[in-house]
């Protein structure tokens, strides 16, 4: 009964935390590709190859279903993986769609035509690769009309988080929010389109102001996974151990994960 959670590094831990709380009886295997983070500045081929390698490692742990808890990989590699690479008995689910369903007030699987929604001005904060893929705008256009999206590529934030430099991460978040506000002074909603950013959610909210509703993915993804597993229980793989794997240095990654999640988190070598 195991499900895999993949990220380029520490960011997917925000999703892991939420899915573990929502589904306490399921074993989760986490794979952080800390040796190759950040993905957000890599090209599409590189992101595809690295993501496939991580997902294969999770199969070896008995996880037939993998949550790609990385927006960059979801935006840049997931479609190609689903169309050309995944065997029929495996699934990989991304983290974009639950977020867009929440923003557009849709239920899972609601495929009705795009319609007007309450929010009109949305700020998107994501990695450079996610922003340039325009995957968020594409998915949104299937569901909503008349929404103005201003996207801010947040260079440096993932690096700072991975290096454990909270002060730098905070300063970068504030400057990215300021840059976005120069182009969209009054967003109604802000999307944290990178799973690392919930670790800085407080800073985003403070810089944006209390009137801006900040959407982050962890709980939305947890709900949608719970829903998926009630419909597809056979996708719970044969694995039984919960473990956190990293391609980086396990001691260093454990220390940083513990610092950011403010609870003990231990990693072993992938
Ligand atoms: N957490 C990944 C995401 O959601 C970060 C990508 C990166 O490594 O740059 O996009």
């Amino acid at each position: 009964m195991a499900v895999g959670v993949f990220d380029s590094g520490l960011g997917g831990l925000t999703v892991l935390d939420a899915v573990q709380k929502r589904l306490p009886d399921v074993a989760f295997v986490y794979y952080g590709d800390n040796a190759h983070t950040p993905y957000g500045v890599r090209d599409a081929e590189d992101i595809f190859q690295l993501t496939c390698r991580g997902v294969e490692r999770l199969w070896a742990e008995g996880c037939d279903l993998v949550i790609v808890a990385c927006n960059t990989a979801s935006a840049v590699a997931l479609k190609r993986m689903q169309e050309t690479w995944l065997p029929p008995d495996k699934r990989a689910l991304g983290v974009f769609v639950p977020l867009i369903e929440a923003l557009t007030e849709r239920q899972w699987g609601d495929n009705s035509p795009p319609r007007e929604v309450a929010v009109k001005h949305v700020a998107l904060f994501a990695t450079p690769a996610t922003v340039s893929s325009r995957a968020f705008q594409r998915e949104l256009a299937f569901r909503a009309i008349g929404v103005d999206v201003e996207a801010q590529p947040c260079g440096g934030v993932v690096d700072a988080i991975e290096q454990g430099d909270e002060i730098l991460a905070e300063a970068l978040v504030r400057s990215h929010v300021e840059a976005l506000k120069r182009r969209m002074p009054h967003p109604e909603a802000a999307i944290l389109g990178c799973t690392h950013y919930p670790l800085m959610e407080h800073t985003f909210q403070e810089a944006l102001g209390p009137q801006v509703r900040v959407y982050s993915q962890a709980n939305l993804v947890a709900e949608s996974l719970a829903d998926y597993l009630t419909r597809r229980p056979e996708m719970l793989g044969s694995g039984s151990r919960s473990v956190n794997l990293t391609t980086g240095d396990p001691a260093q990654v454990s220390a940083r994960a513990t610092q950011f999640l403010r609870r003990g988190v231990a990693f072993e070598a992938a």
Side-chain angles (χ1 to χ4, degrees), residues 6-12 14 30 33 36-42 47 68-75 95-96 126-130 157-159 162 192-198 217:
F6 167 89
D7 184 44
S8 62
L10 299 175
T14 58
Y30 186 83
D33 193 7
H36 301 105
T37 196
Y39 280 14
V41 292
R42 291 177 182 273
I47 295 169
V68 179
C70 173
N71 290 271
T72 307
S74 298
V95 284
F96 252 65
T127 66
T130 300
V157 176
V158 168
D159 266 314
E162 290 286 330
L192 303 189
C194 168
T195 52
H196 281 70
Y197 300 170
Q217 286 164 319

Side-chain angles (χ1 to χ4, degrees), residues 199-257:
L199 297 167
M200 291 287 128
E201 184 164 343
H202 178 72
T203 310
F204 274 103
Q205 184 74 71
E206 216 176 71
L208 284 158
Q211 71 291 354
V212 180
R213 175 156 180 204
V214 174
Y215 287 81
S216 75
Q217 286 164 319
N219 291 333
L220 299 169
V221 172
E223 273 319 309
S224 108
L225 175 63
D227 180 59
Y228 181 86
L229 288 174
T230 53
R231 286 177 293 108
R232 302 294 309 272
E234 73 280 11
M235 289 317 301
L236 279 168
S238 59
S240 55
R241 68 168 191 150
S242 288
V243 60
N244 302 318
L245 303 171
T246 177
T247 56
D249 170 27
Q252 197 178 69
V253 173
S254 303
R256 285 185 186 151

